[in-house]
Amino acid sequence: MRVLLTGGAGYIGSHTALVLIERGHEVVLLDDFSNSSPEAVRRVEELTGARIPVIEADLADRSAAAAALEGVDFDAAIHFAGLKAVGESVVEPTRYYRVNIDSTLALLDLMRERGVTRLVFSSSATVYGDPEYVPVDEAHRAGVGLTNPYGWSKFMNEQIIRDAQAAWPRLGAVLLRYFNPVGAHPSGRIGEDPSGIPNNLMPFIAQVAVGKRERLSVFGDAYPTVDGTGVRDYIHVMDLAEGHAAALERIEAGVEVYNLGSGTGSSVLEVVRAFEEASGRPVPYAVAPARAGDVAEIAADPSRANARLRWRTTRSLADACRDAWTWQSANPDGYAA
Ligand code: NAD
Ligand code: WQD
């Protein structure tokens, strides 16, 4: 297939581009580079030996995106493009809704105009809110009590895609609810390159280990969990990328939703210890107040994706820490260097 990857220069998009190329697909990337670097694409080209067409455009600007994509053919789209910083979404809700929703609307219109019937969408475990039970399966209620515009925008996008599919039954859409993506390609050539202070745990830990930051703040140690710190389901970004390929290769008309997670929860302190072991570096930390909007514990029940997509995770948290460390230590300033 020839696959359009919106936001394809980003963290998950770049790893997915690599996996798709290795599985024999062709990719075309569309990105405005608002949160990524052309260097990531260059490195995917270097790792795969493929030449990757890149269209620089703002997908939320419907006419600009349509003009930029004129004459560019594709059989399927994976829609990664969007803004993803939870805290920032609370401060700038209208920007988050505009970018995250307008880009999906533009892509859906464009696909329908062109008769492109396969869509994979980057959703998030955040749509489950504070879960009633763990591990959560796809039957768990979604869109209840979400605490930030980012999360709402994911839930709204899921609904928009369902409505678009109902109005155009040939469309086959897969909503992938990612748990916590971490790690990097084992080469250390591509990885997660957050701008400014990392919001997420693993990149923050990696910057502490490499000496860029003094210590980790552990957000809360009084949750009802194994050691009082928050528990999440960390999934290696290469496993996640393979999940996209599996979903893409099995799309049928209709809407399917899948959890992409490992099925195992790890606490903040377990991640700290795993990273120390993988890197051989100390990760000093101090306990800080809990972060607003955080849940105590969430993990995926990935059995639907395991069964129907014939996909499962094969990499451990230790593998993710090792690969994140390879990336971080070789690229202490990310792609900027
Ligand atoms: P990322 O920021 O690295 O990638 C997003 C890409 O989209 C970037 O390259 C950015 O430049 C691009 N982009 C943003 N706005 C755009 C626009 N208007 N037009 C064109 N391109 C635009 O983020 P990521 O971690 O790779 O996440 C990819 C997708 O997965 C996002 O939709 C995100 O919300 C979702 N997701 C991420 C996580 C996570 O923890 N990383 C978890 C669940 C879901
Ligand atoms: C993980 C754990 C923190 C940073 C977010 C989004 C979610 C999804 C993935 C996009 C929690 C703790 C963190 C730190 C800490 N993104 N922590 N110190 O919050 O599970 O999920 O990213 O869809 O929607 O909400 O991930 O990596 O921020 O936090 O103690 O400096 O680490 O409290 O328990 P989170 P995270």
Side-chain angles (χ1 to χ4, degrees):
M1 273 184 254
R2 190 146 199 264
V3 190
L4 175 72
L5 271 53
T6 77
Y11 172 45
I12 303 169
S14 56
H15 289 80
T16 303
L18 181 144
V19 164
L20 290 176
I21 292 166
E22 285 180 342
R23 283 164 79 132
H25 299 288
E26 269 181 60
V27 302
V28 183
L29 312 190
L30 181 145
D31 208 295
D32 67 357
F33 297 108
S34 56
N35 196 39
S36 56
S37 161
E39 176 63 11
V41 184
R42 206 193 59 71
R43 293 192 186 182
V44 176
E45 289 184 322
E46 163 204 296
L47 287 166
T48 58
R51 211 197 69 76
I52 302 174
V54 180
I55 293 144
E56 187 168 349
D58 174 1
L59 182 60
D61 181 341
R62 192 182 180 289
S63 45
L69 283 168
E70 212 165 294
V72 180
D73 286 325
F74 53 96
D75 310 301
I78 308 184
H79 180 33
F80 299 103
L83 304 176
K84 66 161 182 178
V86 170
E88 195 176 66
S89 79
V90 175
V91 181
E92 297 178 80
T94 53
R95 183 164 75 96
Y96 267 67
Y97 284 122
R98 188 173 302 116
V99 172
N100 288 3
I101 293 187
D102 283 358
S103 50
T104 302
L105 297 176
L107 181 63
L108 285 167
D109 283 346
L110 200 85
M111 290 176 67
R112 179 141 189 196
E113 277 160 27
R114 304 218 182 165
V116 176
T117 57
R118 299 182 186 94
L119 173 66
V120 176
F121 174 65
S122 299
S123 190
S124 169
T126 197
V127 302
Y128 294 119
D130 193 355
E132 283 172 337
Y133 56 87
V134 174
V136 290
D137 56 17
E138 294 84 353
H140 187 283
R141 54 128 182 80
V144 175
L146 308 187
T147 56
N148 59 80
Y150 169 76
W152 282 116
S153 79
K154 287 294 167 192
F155 182 68
M156 291 172 188
N157 269 323
E158 289 196 358
Q159 187 61 43
I160 288 166
I161 291 168
R162 288 181 198 277
D163 292 341
Q165 197 282 328
W168 186 36
R170 283 178 58 209
L171 181 66
V174 179
L175 312 175
L176 298 179
R177 293 177 176 161
Y178 311 160
F179 283 67
N180 289 54
V182 291
H185 187 264
S187 65
R189 294 295 289 157
I190 57 172
E192 187 171 12
D193 181 21
S195 54
I197 302 169
N199 299 306
N200 296 112
L201 179 64
M202 179 89 62
F204 200 105
I205 289 178
Q207 292 194 4
V208 173
V210 84
K212 280 184 80 175
R213 304 195 185 271
E214 208 179 323
R215 70 172 67 83
L216 170 74
S217 293
V218 174
F219 297 146
D221 68 347
Y223 288 113
T225 59
V226 53
D227 56 21
T229 65
V231 168
R232 298 291 183 275
D233 185 335
Y234 296 93
I235 173 171
H236 195 297
V237 67
M238 292 300 294
D239 281 329
L240 187 64
E242 290 169 5
H244 288 74
L248 189 73
E249 289 159 5
R250 285 175 184 77
I251 292 192
E252 289 171 14
V255 179
E256 292 285 351
V257 45
Y258 294 105
N259 285 340
L260 294 187
S262 72
T264 303
S266 305
S267 75
V268 175
L269 295 181
E270 285 167 346
V271 178
V272 168
R273 280 192 290 273
F275 205 96
E276 287 183 328
E277 223 156 273
S279 65
R281 299 283 181 97
V283 177
Y285 66 85
V287 174
R291 185 169 63 179
D294 272 2
V295 303
E297 176 167 6
I298 186 164
D301 176 346
S303 31
R304 181 188 284 180
N306 295 163
R308 297 198 203 160
L309 300 179
R310 298 202 191 92
W311 164 89
R312 56 187 60 254
T313 59
T314 61
R315 298 160 180 92
S316 65
L317 178 63
D319 294 333
C321 291
R322 179 202 61 213
D323 296 336
W325 177 244
T326 304
W327 154 254
Q328 181 68 56
S329 50
N331 305 272
D333 297 313
Y335 294 114

